Amino acid sequence: AVAASAADGEVMLLCVGGSGAMRTGLNLVLNFRAMGLYHMLVLALERDVCTSLWDALPSLACVWWPRRLEAPRPASLYNTMFNKVALAFFEARKVLLERLVVKHRLNVLHLDADTIWFANPYPVLKTVYRDHAIVVQADNPFANAGILYVQNVAPGDSAAWVLEELNRRIDRFTYRPESVKELPSSGWSTPPHFANADEQANLNDIIASSLNGAPTFAAGVEFYEARFKKDKGSQEAAKRMQDGRWTRKQQQGDVAPARQRLVSVKPDHSLDKVVHLCKMDSWGAVSAAPLRVPGNASAPAASLLLAPEWLFSHFPYGIFFPAYRVCHAASWGWASLSALEQRLCMPGFRVPTVMVHMAGLRNGQWGRRGVMRAFGVWHEEADKVAPETWVSPRTERLLVAGPDMLRAGLASMSDFDAFAARLLLLGLLLGRRVVMPPLPKDARWAERAIEPRHLRAIEVGCGPDKQRVWLPMPHFKEPWCSGVDFLYEIDYRAVAPSIPPADVSHIAAASLRVAPESAAGALITMSDGATPPASRVLVLNAAGGGGGGAGSAWNRTGVTWEDKDVSKWASAELQQRVGGAAASLAADERLPRALLGCGLEARVCKVESCEGTATVTSSRGVLRHAFDYSFEAEWEVKPLPGGAEGGAEEGAADAADTVYSGRLKYSDVTAAESADVSTTYKKRPSELVAPRVTDALAELKAAVAEAVRGFEAQLRTKSI
């Protein structure tokens, strides 16, 4: 496997699991091959995964490791709470990484399949950061264990110790979970132990150990021992998790001094041409960890770099989207640039970041595939693996929604979702691949859809081709939905000029009918019983081109649209309901009154800046009610009489006599559960009583949500 994959002492290691990961994994392989990088070694879950990948790409180096993946594991909480196959897979990839680096003396780029690489990383790794043995994606508190590059490591040096110690710890807590009792702050633990063997948690403990010169397991293992044992009913664990000093010591006691030992690495601007970014001011100072082996001063030192975000970026937060917007700027003069530069929004082939990691996008490999397609970095060849999971037909026959299909107007993202769902269903029934139109350019809800916190759309294309493309909601409960494929309109534009006019047919959407059950063959027919045109492209129009009339399966009442603005009423109604929100928090007999062990009353005192809109719309015979508001609510939390006396610590004596107050700022209130809420205090409570105030505010927020639900129910009684 090493001989088949390594080149010039370099290898890229990629782990691939099921059908979704197979596609994103193969796409990553093809992405790198497009850059001229072929030195990829794939670690697969099983032989069948390699076989599927070889069917699509016979030259790919792919291995599986049944002995490692099938090893029996004792019944710790960690081993039983999480997917056993995934845990074994993560364990195996770190063992393989160590062997490739220490035994075979290779430089290894360790990859996750859920990544997009906009540029070849090696020019940066081999020049700008050539002096760092480990270059790892930065994460809390130090590193992300999924993306790292290891280079120039010698057996026995500090970088080798990091890899070896990581596998020792994973092995220890996986196969000897009882050994957690040997740790300084976990002697209280009883079986079943949690024994956290997570690769990232342990890697961060190891970095802290190396920086401080003494082994620590506090933040990655011991804190989580208490956290998860508490969830399983352990009183000893609950006692520790309620002790703020204990939890802070575990989480920050070793991490904080370790972070103070990080060193700053300033940019070498003589290498600006290598760092080929749209937003060059992203290149600033970064932190590095001078690695040493605890207790072994003779071991050669090494450096671990916490990679800058412009090299290894997180998604959807971080610098990626700000940099991506700079790449879109009109100042690049798109008219003079190539079609490829415009599709990828890479002026002069500058990039927003070298890599973006989509681990923060919680919609599975299929959802990530959609994002990659939107960015224009998806290779159609990657869809050749696991063909049995497709729902859509793999066809060149297309179904296009004509421009007038959306002219009737859409009031919300849910309206567009409904339109897209019907279009996709019609595509399935017709045996065609849908061309999904972009979101409207001037709608406020479409503007919000591209924000990272919502991420229901992405801006793609630059210059005249710039548009917002739809991202489907993730489908966890109905995984088959992920096999429904479509083409973006911006990609259809690229192929449309090559399609002869004679191979394009226009029909009215209203002319389509669901075929009678007694009919054989087509599922959809024309209103006169004829079969829809068989041309390569079928364009749906709202009217004309193929008959009309109401009552079709596609649009039973035509395409009329009517709306009514009820914002004035809604603003007053919402303000009144939220203004009456109140809640209480029961007394906690374990705490004295001085620490707010008494009951607490929380209420909204006043609602201000209530701004937004509410509409009632009628489309295709269906009433829809939409609202979008922001407001600020003044709140107060007041202690109630009662509660045990005594037990007060210094600074907490007057807590039970204090009325706490501040503001709750709500934005993007489109449903009771969808609002963004921020909390401010007139005077922040002390750490000793803050948890109780926070719990009371949580109850108040639930009461506000209930008030919004009441408002929403009242809004739904309105008609045109």
Side-chain angles (χ1 to χ4, degrees):
V2 170
S5 58
D8 299 325
E10 302 282 343
V11 69
M12 297 183 288
L13 175 61
L14 173 64
C15 299
V16 173
S19 60
M22 270 194 278
R23 285 200 175 86
T24 54
L26 182 57
N27 185 72
L28 187 56
V29 172
L30 296 169
N31 192 7
F32 277 121
R33 289 195 171 195
M35 300 177 193
L37 303 175
Y38 286 74
H39 54 287
M40 180 76 77
L41 175 61
V42 173
L43 173 63
L45 190 59
E46 55 190 0
R47 182 189 183 101
D48 287 348
V49 173
C50 284
T51 300
S52 294
L53 292 171
W54 286 329
D55 288 342
L57 196 64
S59 61
L60 183 64
C62 184
V63 297
W64 61 99
W65 200 349
R67 182 173 60 84
R68 171 65 65 174
L69 294 174
E70 296 168 6
R73 295 161 174 259
S76 69
L77 293 178
Y78 180 81
N79 285 339
T80 55
M81 288 173 63
F82 304 108
N83 184 286
K84 294 180 180 179
V85 175
L87 296 182
F89 204 36
F90 291 145
E91 175 194 352
R93 71 175 182 172
K94 287 302 185 285
V95 174
L96 183 54
L97 171 65
E98 178 194 327
R99 293 189 182 183
L100 291 171
V101 171
V102 180
K103 179 180 177 181
H104 294 282
R105 306 293 297 274
L106 293 170
N107 299 331
V108 180
L109 181 57
H110 182 286
L111 302 164
D112 275 352
D114 57 346
T115 54
I116 299 174
W117 295 79
F118 292 106
N120 181 344
Y122 284 99
V124 171
L125 296 171
K126 292 303 184 183
T127 57
V128 181
Y129 299 128
R130 63 184 179 275
D131 297 328
H132 303 279
I134 302 176
V135 181
V136 63
Q137 183 174 26
D139 211 326
N140 186 36
F142 297 105
N144 183 293
I147 307 297
L148 63 153
Y149 179 62
V150 187
Q151 62 181 338
N152 306 325
V153 173
D157 72 11
S158 298
W161 173 81
V162 168
L163 302 180
E164 293 163 344
E165 179 67 7
L166 178 57
N167 282 311
R168 281 192 290 267
R169 294 192 182 199
I170 293 173
D171 183 86
R172 170 182 177 175
F173 298 120
T174 298
Y175 300 105
R176 291 192 301 117
E178 70 281 358
S179 69
V180 76
K181 288 176 62 68
E182 302 166 9
L183 302 182
S185 300
S186 300
W188 56 270
S189 184
T190 57
H193 306 286
F194 181 67
N196 191 15
D198 176 71
E199 58 178 2
Q200 185 159 312
N202 279 278
L203 175 60
N204 282 293
D205 273 353
I206 291 166
I207 294 172
S209 300
S210 181
L211 285 164
N212 291 334
T216 179
F217 300 82
V221 180
E222 300 199 81
F223 171 79
Y224 288 102
E225 189 68 20
R227 175 181 168 183
F228 283 95
K229 289 286 289 180
K230 177 184 77 71
D231 293 344
K232 295 299 181 179
S234 167
Q235 294 300 313
E236 286 293 326
K239 183 166 62 177
R240 283 160 176 79
M241 290 302 294
Q242 290 167 3
D243 184 342
R245 288 189 179 88
W246 187 89
T247 57
R248 285 193 298 276
K249 179 181 178 183
Q250 302 311 307
Q251 292 182 294
Q252 295 297 323
D254 293 316
V255 168
R259 289 197 65 84
Q260 292 177 359
R261 293 182 171 92
L262 295 173
V263 298
S264 179
V265 178
K266 295 181 179 180
D268 178 0
H269 287 292
S270 68
L271 298 170
D272 276 1
K273 290 185 178 180
V274 178
V275 183
H276 203 53
L277 304 173
C278 295
K279 194 174 187 294
M280 284 299 292
D281 60 3
S282 301
W283 189 16
V286 290
S287 297
L291 299 175
R292 299 306 300 257
V293 179
N296 184 358
S298 64
S303 178
L304 180 147
L305 183 86
L306 303 180
E309 276 211 81
W310 60 260
L311 180 58
F312 298 158
S313 178
H314 291 278
F315 186 93
Y317 299 102
I319 73 163
F320 175 75
F321 274 113
Y324 189 66
R325 283 193 288 270
V326 172
C327 289
H328 277 73
S331 58
W332 295 108
W334 292 104
S336 63
L337 301 182
S338 69
L340 181 60
E341 289 170 285
Q342 293 186 37
R343 176 63 180 91
L344 299 178
C345 290
M346 293 183 184
F349 295 99
R350 297 171 182 84
V351 296
T353 60
V354 173
M355 184 278 294
V356 62
H357 191 186
M358 293 187 289
L361 189 61
R362 305 298 185 186
N363 61 354
Q365 296 291 0
W366 275 102
R368 292 162 185 165
R369 169 183 175 270
V371 174
M372 294 179 192
R373 289 178 57 248
F375 281 135
V377 294
W378 185 259
H379 295 259
E380 292 292 325
E381 296 90 337
D383 287 330
K384 292 180 180 178
V385 296
E388 70 282 356
T389 60
W390 281 109
V391 176
S392 294
R394 307 301 295 157
T395 178
E396 291 188 352
R397 298 172 69 238
L398 303 176
L399 177 65
V400 178
D404 60 347
M405 289 292 291
L406 289 175
R407 281 180 187 162
L410 297 169
S412 66
M413 192 70 228
S414 61
D415 279 352
F416 193 95
D417 286 338
F419 166 81
R422 294 182 180 119
L423 188 62
L424 290 170
L425 176 59
L426 185 60
L428 290 175
L429 296 174
L430 288 169
R432 291 177 175 272
R433 192 180 189 189
V434 164
V435 175
M436 188 61 63
L439 274 66
K441 293 181 179 180
D442 53 355
R444 183 182 173 195
W445 59 266
E447 181 71 30
R448 288 198 308 273
I450 66 173
E451 295 176 10
R453 57 183 170 172
H454 301 300
L455 205 65
R456 294 300 320 284
I458 290 179
E459 281 191 337
V460 300
C462 295
D465 289 329
K466 185 176 180 178
Q467 60 180 235
R468 295 170 184 154
V469 300
W470 177 68
L471 292 179
M473 288 288 287
H475 299 287
F476 293 116
K477 294 182 180 179
E478 300 290 346
W480 66 267
C481 293
S482 298
V484 179
D485 191 33
F486 60 90
L487 190 70
Y488 283 120
E489 194 264 352
I490 190 172
D491 298 312
Y492 172 64
R493 286 187 193 179
V495 299
S498 64
I499 300 174
D503 216 0
V504 179
S505 298
H506 292 256
I507 63 170
S511 69
L512 296 175
R513 298 286 187 276
V514 175
E517 292 185 11
S518 58
L523 297 172
I524 298 290
T525 66
M526 305 295 289
S527 55
D528 59 2
T531 301
S535 54
R536 180 180 173 187
V537 177
L538 183 61
V539 181
L540 285 178
N541 297 308
S552 72
W554 172 252
N555 183 2
R556 293 192 179 277
T557 59
V559 293
T560 56
W561 177 277
E562 187 179 1
D563 65 1
K564 180 180 180 181
D565 187 346
V566 293
S567 302
K568 184 177 180 180
W569 166 86
S571 297
E573 180 74 11
L574 181 62
Q575 192 163 348
Q576 179 182 355
R577 288 179 177 270
V578 173
S584 61
L585 182 67
D588 187 339
E589 296 177 355
R590 297 169 298 177
L591 297 175
R593 178 175 175 81
L595 295 183
L596 295 187
C598 56
L600 298 176
E601 178 186 67
R603 70 183 184 94
V604 172
C605 307
K606 184 168 59 173
V607 178
E608 296 180 336
S609 304
C610 185
E611 299 175 351
T613 59
T615 57
V616 182
T617 61
S618 174
S619 173
R620 294 181 283 273
V622 177
L623 277 178
R624 291 188 177 88
H625 302 80
F627 62 96
D628 187 347
Y629 272 89
S630 64
F631 58 83
E632 295 186 13
E634 287 190 8
W635 60 265
E636 71 172 25
V637 172
K638 182 168 60 176
L640 297 173
E645 300 297 335
E649 299 192 31
E650 183 179 356
D654 62 346
D657 301 319
T658 302
V659 176
Y660 303 91
S661 60
R663 284 178 175 265
L664 295 174
K665 296 183 179 181
Y666 284 77
S667 60
D668 294 327
V669 183
T670 56
E673 292 80 18
S674 70
D676 291 325
V677 190
S678 63
T679 306
T680 59
Y681 297 83
K682 287 186 178 177
K683 182 179 180 181
R684 186 169 291 276
S686 71
E687 292 185 0
L688 296 173
V689 300
R692 290 283 291 166
V693 177
T694 300
D695 289 346
L697 280 174
E699 296 295 331
L700 181 60
K701 290 175 185 177
V704 171
E706 188 61 34
V708 174
R709 274 190 285 272
F711 159 76
E712 187 172 6
Q714 191 64 26
L715 173 63
R716 292 187 183 281
T717 66
K718 301 292 182 181
S719 59
I720 295 293

